[in-house]
Structures are given as C-alpha cells and as structure tokens.
Amino acid sequence: MASILDEYEDSQNIRQSSQQHSRLSGANIGITHSGFVNVRLEEEKPIFNKQRIDFTPPEKINHLAVCNNHLCMSLGKDTLLRIDLAKPDQPNQTELGRKDDGKVHRLFLDPTGSHLLISLNTSECLYLNRNTQKVRSLSRWRGHLIESVGWNKLLGNETSTGPILVGTGQGIIFEAEISATEGSLFNTNPDQYFRQVHSLEEDGKPAPVCCLEIERGLENKYFIIATTRKRLFQFVGKVAEGSEQQGFSSIFNQNQDLLPSFQEFPANMGYSEITFYTSKLRTSPKAFAWMMGNGVLYGQLDYVRPDSLLSDVQVWEYTPDIDLSLNKPISIVLTQFHFLLLLHDRVKAICTLNGQVVYEDVFPDKFGTLKRMIKDPAGGLVWIYTERAVFRYHIQREARDVWQMYMSMNKFDLAKEYCRDRPECMDMVLAKEAEHCFQNKRYLESAKCYALTQNYFEEIALKFIEAKQEEALKEFLLKKLNNLKPSERTQITLLVTWLTELYLNRLGQLESDGNSLIFQETRDEFRQFMSSSKHKECLYNNRTTIYDLLASHGNVDDMVYFSVVMQDYERVISHYCQHDDYSAALDVLAKHCDEKLFYKFSPVLMQHIPKNVVDAWIQMGKRLDPKKLIPALMNYSQMGSTQQISETIRYMEFCVYELNVTEEAIHNYLLSLYAKYRADSLLSYLEQAGTHASEIHYDLKYALRLCAEHGYLRACVLVYRIMELYEEAVDLALQVDVDLAKSCADLPEDDEEIRKKLWLKIARHVVQEEKDVKKAMNCLSSCNLLKIEDILPFFPDFVTIDHFKEAICSSLEEYNKHIEELKQEMEEATESAKRIREDIQEMRNKYGVVDSQEKCAACDFPLLNRPFYLFLCGHMFHYDCLFQEVTPHLSAYRQSRLEELQKKLAATTQSSKSRHRPAAKDEGDTSSLGKGNAGTSREQIKSDIDDLIASECVYCGELMIKTIDKPFIDPQKFEEEKSSWL
C-alpha cells in the first residue's frame, strides 16, 4: 500500500518531459505591438494536471470520501479502507462485520476528517471515528436512507459532531448529534439525539434531500441550503448567542409560517448535487454551483443580504453532447474560476466567467465507468474514482488566464487585478481598455490608459489628433511625462514643450469664447504645470523656447508668472517697466533683494518714483553699494527734478550719517548737491565732517573748487583751515569777517612766527582798510605776540599820539615788569649756582669707614684684599665682583661700551708700564709730559667705567627692581642646576 499516493507514474513523467522539450524548441520569440518581448523559457504546466494513483484495489471500489487529508474508501461488500494522506504508507483496513446483503449506499466524512457516516441501502447507518476501529450502529437512524448530511463547521471537533442536519430519501430533514465518547451504562449509542425538524416536497410529494449545507453569517445569522432533484431551498434565521449547541430547530420554526424560499427548475434527472468554493480553510464559502436537470446554476454567496444567500446567479445549460437520458452528469466540483462536471467517461471544466468549456479529459475504457468526483477543501485536490482506479487532479495557477476572460468581457479592473505581477499582460489589458474607451468616446479615460501602455507613442498621439481631442491628448502627454525617468531628458523636453503649446492653444480658445470660469481653471492648471518641481529643471534648461511660445501667443500674464517661477526677475521687472508699472517693478525688486537688479533698474525707476526707490534703498541698507547707485542718482530729468534731487540728498545723507560710508565719491557727490541745491546745509556738513585732514572723507581740493565756484567764502575758509593753509584762510576771511580771520590766526599754536604774521595781516587790514584805530588796539589785546611798535608803521603820518597814549603806556609798563622779572631770575640763578658749588665741595670731602673684617657682599671674601666700591647704602663690592653682577643686566649697547672702555684702560696701563724703563734725558722730559696726558686719559676712562657699573648699588638701585620678574635660575641652566641638587 506504500505506493498508493505516488505523484506520477514513470511513464507519464517521461512522456511529459519529452513534450516539454519539443515545445520549448519550438517556442516563438518576437516583439509584440506593446513593446514587450514575448519569450517563454519553459512550457507552462496545465491548470488541471491529472495523476493516476498507482493502486490496484483488491476489490471493487464502491464509494470514496476525502476531507481534511483523510481518505475513506469502501471496497467490495464489507471492507473499509482509511488512509491518512500525511502518512500514506500506514493504511487502516476495517471490516464492517455485516452478514446480511446490505451494501454501502453513501459515505459522509465531516470537515475535520474525524467522523465517518456509512449509509447502507438497508436504511441503516453506521458510525466510525478516526481514532477507533469499532464500527458502531446508529439505532435512532434506523429506517431512514441517508442521502445528505449538513455538517456543523463551528462546533464540530474530533470527539463530537455538534448539532448536524441529516437529509433522507423521503424528504425529511433531521437534526442529530454524534459523540465518539462512550455513553453511560444505559446509553451506549453514539447518537445523542435524532429528531425531525423539516420536510421537503416536490410537486406535492416528498422528495429526497440531495444536499445540505449550513453556513453562518453576520450577527449569529445562519443560512441553511437544501436541495432536492429540482428545487433549491434556503432557510434563514438567527440563533441566540450562546445557544448554538441547542441546534437549528429554531431556524426551521421561524420559517414554518412562511413558505420556504426556493428556486425550481422543470427538468428532473433523478438527483442533484451542490458544491461550494472556499478560498481559505475554515472560512465561509464564496461561491456555489448546483448541478440539476436543466444545467448548472452558479453564482456568488452574499452573507449581507437579509433574505437570500445567493447573488449574481447564472445558469449554464448543458452542451449538446450531454444527454440526460444517456449521458447524465454524475458529479460537480467548484473551483475559483471553474466548475468540473464528471460524466461517465470524461471530465469537463467550464469557466464560470464566460461559460466556455476550457478543458476536457477523456478517460480510457480500461479503467471502467467513472463513479464520482470529490474535492478535499483542505488540500484543494480533486479526486475521481472508478471501480478499479483512483485519480486526482492538481489545480495549478488557475487564475493565470483569467485576465484574458475579464478583458474580453470588458471588466478591465478585474483583469488588471489578476495580472499585477505580469507586466506584459497588464500592458495588453490597458491597451484594450484604452481602445474600448476610445471607441466609446471616453477620450480622457482612454488617454490615461494609453499613457500606461508600451504602445507606440506616435500612433496614440495621432489618434487623438485625428479625433480632434486636444484635452485627451494633453492628458495622455501629462501621464506619459509623469512616467518618464529623470534620465530621459530628450523625451521630457519634447513633452514639456508640446504640453506648453497645447495649454496656450486652449487658453487662447477659451479667452476668445469668453468662458471665464473654465479659462481660470485651465490657467491655474497650466501654472501648476509650470511650477511643478518635477519639471523645473527641464523648464529652466529650455526657458528660452518657453518664452518664445508665450510671446508668440501674446500671453503676457503667464509669461510674467513663468519668469517668476524661473526666478528670472530681470525679465519680470523689464516687463513692468515697459508697461509703465513702475510700482510693481519696484515691488519685485524689494521682494527678492537682488543687488544686481537694483543697480540695473534704479536709473529708470528713479525717474518716475524716486521716493519709493529711495525707501527701498534705505530698506536694503548695507547690502547695496552706494557708489554703484550714483548713475541712478545722477540720471534725473530737468522737469520735475525737485523731488528727485531731494530724494537723492536724502539717500546720500542716509549713507553718510546712518551707514557711515567713507567712500570719497559719495561724500564728494553729497558735497556737490549741497553746493548746488542746499547752501544752508553745506557749512554744517563741512563742520561735522571734521577739522583734520585725517578725519575728512571728501576731496579737499574738490571741495575748495566747488565752494569757490559758487562763492561760498566761509566754506572756503573752513576748507583752507583744514588744509592748514592759514595765510590763505586769513586773507579770505578778512573779506568776510575780521572775527573769522582772528579765529584762523590763532590756529598755528606751535609756530609763533606764523601767528604773529597772521595777526599783523589782520592789524594791517583793520588799520588800512577799515581805518579803525580802536579795532587795531583790540588786536594788540587779542594777541600777546603783537606790540605797539609792530603796528605803528601801518598808521598814517597824520594820526596823533593821543590815539596810542594808552597803548604806549601799557607797553612801557609791560617792559618794566619784564625787566624786573629778569632781574629776579638772575638773582635766583646766582644763588642756585652758589649752593651747587658748596654741595660739590661737600661731596668731595665726604668719606666712609671700612672695617678690616668687612667682606664683599657678592663673594663674601675679605673686602680689603682687592679694589672695592663702597655705596651710601652700606653695601660693599670688589671691583671684579661688582663688574660680574652688573654686566648681565646692562643693555647690549652699554655692554659693548664697557668692553671698549676696558680695552682702552688695558692699553693705557700697558703704555704706563713701558714708560718706567730708563731713558735719555731728552726722552725723560718727553716721557714725563706724555705721562701727564696718559694719566689724565686713564682717570677719565675709570670715571666712565664707574658711571656704567657703579652709578648705583646693584642690590638697592633700579637694576634690582627691573629684575623682579626674572627667575632666580636661568631657564637654560635650570636642568643642570636641578640635576646638581639630586
């Protein structure tokens, strides 16, 4: 029995392999109209793949049931074979133990595969649990030929079926429950109860219950489907929550007062069969198919409907080769998209979408007549058996060609749903949908679909052009553009340019028609297209072309909008200026704050709206270079220039006083404006600018020339004073005001000669030009450098002395006072010289006492052993010790001077030693003369050395104070000193 479930027969494997090889070699490779390459690398396996089980039954197969991977088979008269398909090598064979002539009528296996009901033709029923070998009789069921069983999917488990429904050949529906556990002492039967709940009729007579199905919907609503030979009944009712164990009697009681809902067909072939399709295990079925006399009724199950479970019902009528008198259909099985009909010698698969027979498999006569077909909901396998053989069908990728059927039915959404992972099929569906929409004049929808296909771009575009559907063409181009990759720049450029042309054509047409609402909507759409970030790069690179298109259509507003999007503010401002909308141009300038654009357009704007322009400049502040705005400031017209001039001065004042600009050109320009238009502000500006040339930011020579040209003498005097040309300043000031000249004459404070000269000029002017003696006398009091004798030559000869009496007397008094001061100073100097001579004499006689035990403050050796120095502070040093102490602290110059003096001292000492040798008388006289000179020189050298090293005590003088921030140990010798301490 180990080979009962072998996957394939060896011969079948060899045959299929050879077929695949031959088909692969003949595969066609080509390019379809959609642009996809149609290449099939291997032969696709069929949807319905039949496999024969390599099993020869010892006896004839009577019945077979499969559920939840458990197979039960009735063999001969008294044998039952059970196989767990997960363990096919461990079959279980059980004998029914019947001694009468009763035969197995039907086998019923519950969804769990645990409970097997064996209906006998003697109106008896047996029960066998999966976990036992004992076949038990259901005594309460005796006397009823069981035709169908409705299993309880909610409450059924391995030990109990829960409440179930049982249909009999007499049209009675019973409710029952079977438990596999052993009963009590007085109740050993597995059937817990068996009670009638309903009966079915046809034409006023009882009719066998062919099929029963129980399904649970929402809110504890239950649907019960029962079929007879010609009728399909539905019972709908609610079961109270928590009372499901009490069974389904309440549902039938709810329908007693009303006739049960049913569908009836006229033909009767003696039996019927209903089958269901469940997409996932332990879920409610989604579709049904009922095989009856007139054909197959199939449709969907809708659990939301209140009165009926069936929806979208259709009837498939039998084909002519199916004759109910000779070739009745035996069984039916429903899959996701097909139902399979079992005839006596073949299997037919009919597509539920279009009702077409898509598969037909004829069985050889050697296997005998086909008896029944069963589907296992758990594994999805379809089983077929004859008396001598067992077959099964694998259903593989059933939905692979469904998209084609939906496409042919124009159900494009469903077609796309079933080919999402197959782009070549999706392309065909989209192309068909696009063509369908085009034929039905739904051009926009067609354009959207065409844009997603790989069809030739030119063909589609021409179709819409020929149909004069610019809106659809635009939609197609937009979708195509959105689907392009950024790297496809050429295609993007083409589409963007074309779309721009289409938008402009549409806007022009709408504007001429006067349809303002649609015109505004289209304009908004066009502007959104131009401002799209996805197309920004393309639009920017081809902005010249877009500008040309906009200009050719005369669409000025959109050209301005496009310029703003492209940040081409120069074009925007130029447009506004050309149309005399200077305020709008300035608004764009002020909003985007582009300095270059300010420099370019300010001359034009300044002519028309000077105040607003200057306000914008001031708002920009230091971001603008005032020097670059001078051309704009100078470009004012002759007529109506007053405002422009005042605004120009306002901005120049802002630059000078607020921004503190130091550019000479700016100050010169402001100076020229003051000189020409605001003379009252010129002098104040010059005074505020400063009185020294280093503080001035304007050109002094230019300012002087400007003031002279316009006759501003006071301003010229001020400029002369800054230039320190005091004589010119005084000369020019005398033409204006004597007091102004006096203020200029006192400016050269360090040069009394010039001051006197300037005051003499003033005095001469006063005397000779103004002939005012009193003012001349005031000059003497104003300047202490002038005397009466200095100005007397300026007076004419006829002037009497009476005019100068007071001046002469005061002058003589000043002379006498000065002479007395000089005498007092001479006396004080004589007394001071006397005191100095006395101090010098006293210092010469000053001395100090040195004890013989005294030691040098530096080396601590006896002091009297070598030449030494004694300071007033009491410190005493040997000459050489003091020399060593002081030398490091001297400057480089003094150290070199000290070395030079030492060399000279050594030279004089050597020469004095040589003179002690005997010499001639003449030589002796000469020697003694030279000795006197040498001695004098030597003493001078020693005095100079003393001034360098002994001017102050090294421990008490400035040298010690200057070394307070120096370390005690030289940093260069620190490590050496440190190591000596270790």
Side-chain angles (χ1 to χ4, degrees):
M1 299 298 296
S3 60
I4 189 171
L5 294 176
D6 288 343
E7 293 288 335
Y8 299 94
E9 292 181 345
D10 294 339
S11 60
Q12 189 174 6
N13 288 337
I14 295 172
R15 183 173 64 254
Q16 289 185 357
S17 298
S18 61
Q19 290 175 354
Q20 290 179 5
H21 178 74
S22 62
R23 290 173 182 174
L24 179 62
S25 61
N28 293 324
I29 299 176
I31 300 178
T32 65
H33 73 284
S34 65
F36 280 95
V37 179
N38 184 14
V39 179
R40 183 168 293 178
L41 298 180
E42 61 180 10
E43 182 66 21
E44 201 167 35
K45 294 181 179 179
I47 295 175
F48 304 101
N49 186 13
K50 182 178 71 175
Q51 304 161 19
R52 182 194 170 204
I53 304 302
D54 187 12
F55 165 65
T56 303
E59 300 180 74
K60 292 182 180 179
I61 301 174
N62 298 322
H63 293 278
L64 185 144
V66 181
C67 209
N68 199 22
N69 280 334
H70 286 80
L71 184 144
C72 298
M73 190 183 302
S74 172
L75 302 176
K77 177 184 177 183
D78 204 39
T79 303
L80 188 66
L81 184 66
R82 294 182 295 173
I83 302 172
D84 185 352
L85 299 180
K87 303 174 183 177
D89 55 344
Q90 300 176 10
N92 178 269
Q93 186 170 332
T94 303
E95 300 296 331
L96 297 180
R98 303 292 297 180
K99 296 181 180 179
D100 54 14
D101 295 333
K103 295 181 181 179
V104 175
H105 176 63
R106 297 286 296 271
L107 293 179
F108 304 98
L109 190 61
D110 80 311
T112 66
S114 302
H115 307 282
L116 176 65
L117 294 177
I118 307 164
S119 174
L120 303 178
N121 58 1
T122 58
S123 299
E124 293 182 76
C125 192
L126 305 178
Y127 170 72
L128 179 62
N129 189 270
R130 183 174 63 186
N131 299 322
T132 64
Q133 291 287 104
K134 183 179 180 181
V135 179
R136 305 169 70 182
S137 175
L138 301 177
S139 59
R140 292 188 176 90
W141 298 38
R142 188 174 292 121
H144 300 283
L145 182 64
I146 306 303
E147 293 288 350
S148 59
V149 176
W151 298 103
N152 193 325
K153 300 174 186 177
L154 180 65
L155 299 178
N157 53 48
E158 292 184 359
T159 59
S160 174
T161 63
I164 61 175
L165 296 177
V166 179
T168 67
Q170 292 78 29
I172 303 174
I173 299 176
F174 290 91
E175 184 181 58
E177 183 176 358
I178 302 174
S179 176
T181 56
E182 294 292 336
S184 63
L185 179 64
F186 302 101
N187 184 17
T188 60
N189 293 328
D191 49 336
Q192 303 297 308
Y193 62 88
F194 189 77
R195 57 174 175 260
Q196 180 178 347
V197 293
H198 200 74
S199 60
L200 301 179
E201 295 181 350
E202 281 182 0
D203 301 327
K205 299 179 181 178
V209 183
C210 299
C211 296
L212 280 172
E213 181 73 16
I214 304 171
E215 293 299 336
R216 182 184 180 184
L218 302 176
E219 300 176 354
N220 286 338
K221 183 184 287 187
Y222 279 82
F223 298 87
I224 299 174
I225 295 178
T227 64
T228 60
R229 292 165 297 188
K230 298 191 300 180
R231 292 183 178 182
L232 186 150
F233 293 87
Q234 294 184 70
F235 301 91
V236 182
K238 284 189 176 182
V239 175
E241 187 174 357
S243 61
E244 292 87 353
Q245 192 65 42
Q246 296 179 8
F248 307 104
S249 302
S250 60
I251 298 175
F252 290 100
N253 292 335
Q254 294 173 22
N255 289 271
Q256 275 185 351
D257 298 336
L258 302 172
L259 293 175
S261 173
F262 67 89
Q263 288 181 284
E264 183 176 9
F265 290 86
N268 183 358
M269 63 178 183
Y271 57 89
S272 71
E273 183 175 353
I274 192 168
T275 180
F276 298 89
Y277 167 71
T278 305
S279 59
K280 295 181 181 179
L281 191 63
R282 298 184 180 87
T283 60
S284 299
K286 292 185 176 182
F288 77 98
W290 179 39
M291 180 186 72
M292 40 79 182
N294 289 86
V296 176
L297 178 73
Y298 64 95
Q300 304 297 315
L301 299 180
D302 186 356
Y303 296 92
V304 180
R305 296 178 65 180
D307 54 348
S308 176
L309 188 62
L310 312 181
S311 66
D312 299 334
V313 176
Q314 301 180 58
V315 176
W316 180 79
E317 297 181 356
Y318 295 126
T319 55
D321 61 332
I322 301 176
D323 187 358
L324 296 183
S325 59
L326 302 174
N327 187 18
K328 296 181 182 179
I330 302 171
S331 292
I332 186 170
V333 164
L334 180 64
T335 63
Q336 185 178 5
F337 297 105
H338 303 84
F339 59 83
L340 279 68
L341 279 180
L342 181 69
L343 304 175
H344 72 280
D345 63 343
R346 67 191 63 199
V347 173
K348 285 189 175 186
I350 295 91
C351 179
T352 56
L353 300 178
N354 55 14
Q356 300 295 320
V357 178
V358 297
Y359 176 79
E360 186 170 356
D361 188 11
V362 179
F363 286 75
D365 295 336
K366 63 178 181 178
F367 299 123
T369 303
L370 302 178
K371 299 193 68 175
R372 192 167 176 79
M373 178 171 57
I374 310 103
K375 180 185 176 184
D376 183 359
L381 297 176
V382 177
W383 297 79
I384 298 176
Y385 66 93
T386 66
E387 291 182 347
R388 296 188 295 273
V390 178
F391 302 88
R392 66 180 175 187
Y393 281 92
H394 286 268
I395 302 174
Q396 298 176 339
R397 296 182 59 213
E398 185 181 2
R400 71 180 70 167
D401 297 324
V402 170
W403 64 272
Q404 289 182 328
M405 301 176 191
Y406 280 128
M407 182 177 70
S408 62
M409 298 164 61
N410 295 332
K411 295 182 178 180
F412 300 108
D413 291 337
L414 291 172
K416 287 183 281 189
E417 185 70 28
Y418 285 99
C419 61
R420 288 188 181 277
D421 55 344
R422 300 172 67 182
E424 71 282 359
C425 301
M426 178 69 78
D427 189 74
M428 294 176 66
V429 174
L430 289 170
K432 181 66 180 301
E433 182 181 7
E435 185 64 28
H436 175 76
C437 294
F438 191 91
Q439 296 297 332
N440 288 276
K441 301 187 183 304
R442 291 155 48 197
Y443 296 109
L444 286 178
E445 296 177 31
S446 175
K448 293 176 182 179
C449 294
Y450 269 131
L452 298 175
T453 67
Q454 298 297 319
N455 288 22
Y456 294 126
F457 173 84
E458 299 85 351
E459 293 180 1
I460 301 170
L462 286 172
K463 285 185 69 170
F464 289 117
I465 292 172
E466 291 173 358
K468 296 181 180 180
Q469 295 296 321
E470 286 194 1
E471 282 297 311
L473 177 61
K474 182 184 68 177
E475 187 69 27
F476 169 69
L477 296 179
L478 282 172
K479 291 293 183 181
K480 272 293 183 183
L481 181 61
N482 292 331
N483 294 334
L484 290 177
K485 299 176 182 177
S487 58
E488 298 174 314
R489 296 183 179 179
T490 304
Q491 293 89 330
I492 292 175
T493 302
L494 171 66
L495 293 181
V496 166
T497 309
W498 196 352
L499 281 167
T500 303
E501 178 69 24
L502 289 176
Y503 272 118
L504 292 173
N505 287 337
R506 179 63 174 165
L507 287 172
Q509 182 181 356
L510 291 173
E511 188 175 12
S512 62
D513 294 343
N515 196 333
S516 58
L517 181 61
I518 301 178
F519 174 80
Q520 189 59 42
E521 291 177 356
T522 307
R523 167 167 282 180
D524 293 341
E525 183 182 346
F526 179 43
R527 292 187 173 184
Q528 185 178 2
F529 167 75
M530 289 192 295
S531 59
S532 172
S533 58
K534 189 174 182 180
H535 315 136
K536 187 173 183 179
E537 182 181 358
C538 175
L539 288 168
Y540 182 81
N541 293 334
N542 299 277
R543 60 188 182 278
T544 304
T545 305
I546 303 299
Y547 281 134
D548 293 341
L549 286 174
L550 291 166
S552 65
H553 285 265
N555 196 329
V556 179
D557 294 337
D558 288 321
M559 184 170 67
V560 173
Y561 179 83
F562 179 70
S563 301
V564 174
V565 171
M566 292 294 103
Q567 298 182 355
D568 189 0
Y569 304 118
E570 181 176 353
R571 186 181 292 269
V572 177
I573 298 168
S574 297
H575 166 75
Y576 285 135
C577 290
Q578 289 171 4
H579 291 78
D580 297 335
D581 193 354
Y582 302 105
S583 298
L586 184 60
D587 291 341
V588 176
L589 268 179
K591 181 178 180 180
H592 299 286
C593 303
D594 190 335
E595 296 85 353
K596 294 181 179 179
L597 295 180
F598 265 102
Y599 300 144
K600 181 173 182 179
F601 291 100
S602 289
V604 177
L605 298 176
M606 192 66 184
Q607 292 182 12
H608 300 89
I609 48 173
K611 184 180 184 305
N612 297 341
V613 173
V614 171
D615 290 340
W617 288 350
I618 292 174
Q619 189 175 4
M620 288 287 289
K622 291 186 177 182
R623 285 177 288 181
L624 291 178
D625 184 359
K627 188 167 62 176
K628 295 182 179 180
L629 292 174
I630 289 179
L633 294 169
M634 298 182 69
N635 189 23
Y636 46 79
S637 61
Q638 295 298 323
M639 296 184 63
S641 62
T642 304
Q643 184 183 10
Q644 297 169 355
I645 293 167
S646 61
E647 293 301 327
T648 300
I649 293 174
R650 181 163 72 96
Y651 181 67
M652 289 290 100
E653 289 176 342
F654 170 77
C655 295
V656 171
Y657 299 122
E658 299 293 334
L659 300 182
N660 298 319
V661 174
T662 59
E663 290 284 344
E664 187 177 275
I666 300 300
H667 286 264
N668 287 344
Y669 185 51
L670 179 59
L671 197 64
S672 68
L673 291 173
Y674 281 151
K676 292 180 183 179
Y677 305 106
R678 288 191 184 175
D680 54 339
S681 302
L682 176 63
L683 194 60
S684 62
Y685 166 76
L686 292 174
E687 290 172 350
Q688 292 178 8
T691 57
H692 297 283
S694 59
E695 301 173 354
I696 302 303
H697 300 300
Y698 55 84
D699 187 347
L700 288 169
K701 294 181 181 180
Y702 175 73
L704 183 62
R705 180 173 59 83
L706 201 62
C707 295
E709 285 179 357
H710 292 83
Y712 301 134
L713 299 183
R714 285 184 177 273
C716 291
V717 171
L718 185 57
V719 175
Y720 275 133
R721 289 172 57 177
I722 297 171
M723 297 172 69
E724 298 182 357
L725 299 175
Y726 303 115
E727 291 188 29
E728 291 82 350
V730 171
D731 291 340
L732 193 60
L734 289 174
Q735 300 178 23
V736 181
D737 186 10
V738 175
D739 293 335
L740 179 61
K742 289 179 180 180
S743 64
C744 295
D746 285 332
L747 291 177
E749 298 176 354
D750 299 334
D751 196 338
E752 293 184 354
E753 184 179 352
I754 294 179
R755 282 180 58 200
K756 185 176 180 180
K757 183 178 179 181
L758 297 176
W759 277 103
L760 285 173
K761 285 190 174 189
I762 296 172
R764 176 181 289 179
H765 174 79
V766 171
V767 174
Q768 295 180 352
E769 301 295 334
E770 298 186 4
K771 298 181 175 22
D772 191 340
V773 179
K774 191 174 182 179
K775 278 189 178 182
M777 294 301 103
N778 289 337
C779 289
L780 293 177
S781 61
S782 299
C783 179
N784 55 3
L785 298 179
L786 292 181
K787 305 297 180 184
I788 185 61
E789 58 269 25
D790 295 328
I791 65 172
L792 282 176
F794 301 147
F795 289 97
D797 296 338
F798 57 83
V799 177
T800 60
I801 197 170
D802 294 339
H803 294 89
F804 309 108
K805 182 178 180 180
E806 293 180 3
I808 293 173
C809 291
S810 63
S811 178
L812 291 175
E813 288 177 0
E814 287 181 4
Y815 279 130
N816 289 334
K817 185 178 179 181
H818 185 58
I819 290 170
E820 291 297 328
E821 290 176 355
L822 289 177
K823 285 181 180 180
Q824 188 176 354
E825 288 178 2
M826 289 175 65
E827 290 176 359
E828 289 177 357
T830 302
E831 185 65 25
S832 178
K834 182 179 178 181
R835 290 197 198 100
I836 291 172
R837 283 193 294 269
E838 290 175 356
D839 289 342
I840 291 172
Q841 187 64 33
E842 185 180 353
M843 287 296 294
R844 286 178 180 176
N845 297 330
K846 196 170 185 178
Y847 64 92
V849 179
V850 179
D851 193 359
S852 61
Q853 303 299 325
E854 293 291 343
K855 295 182 179 181
C856 175
C859 66
D860 206 27
F861 280 93
L863 185 68
L864 300 177
N865 290 347
R866 300 195 299 275
F868 65 90
Y869 288 95
L870 172 63
F871 293 94
L872 293 177
C873 62
H875 286 113
M876 293 168 279
F877 298 92
H878 289 128
Y879 169 78
D880 54 343
C881 293
L882 182 62
F883 187 88
Q884 292 177 1
E885 289 287 335
V886 174
T887 302
H889 301 289
L890 295 176
S891 63
Y893 170 74
R894 292 197 170 197
Q895 287 182 6
S896 62
R897 174 66 178 160
L898 186 57
E899 290 178 3
E900 182 182 352
L901 291 173
Q902 282 184 316
K903 290 179 182 179
K904 288 182 179 181
L905 181 61
T908 55
T909 303
Q910 186 66 28
S911 63
S912 64
K913 287 183 180 179
S914 63
R915 293 190 188 99
H916 286 89
R917 292 179 295 180
K921 183 179 179 181
D922 298 336
E923 292 176 355
D925 295 339
T926 307
S927 174
S928 66
L929 180 63
K931 181 179 178 182
N933 295 332
T936 302
S937 177
R938 192 162 178 267
E939 290 301 325
Q940 183 62 39
I941 294 172
K942 284 185 177 182
S943 177
D944 294 341
I945 292 175
D946 289 342
D947 289 341
L948 289 173
I949 67 173
S951 60
E952 61 180 356
C953 176
V954 70
Y955 287 169
C956 302
E958 290 186 10
L959 286 177
M960 185 57 65
I961 295 173
K962 291 179 179 179
T963 59
I964 192 170
D965 59 342
K966 294 184 179 180
F968 291 108
I969 303 174
D970 188 355
Q972 298 179 355
K973 300 180 180 180
F974 178 77
E975 294 297 331
E976 181 182 352
E977 186 70 22
K978 179 180 176 182
S979 60
S980 66
W981 283 65
L982 299 176

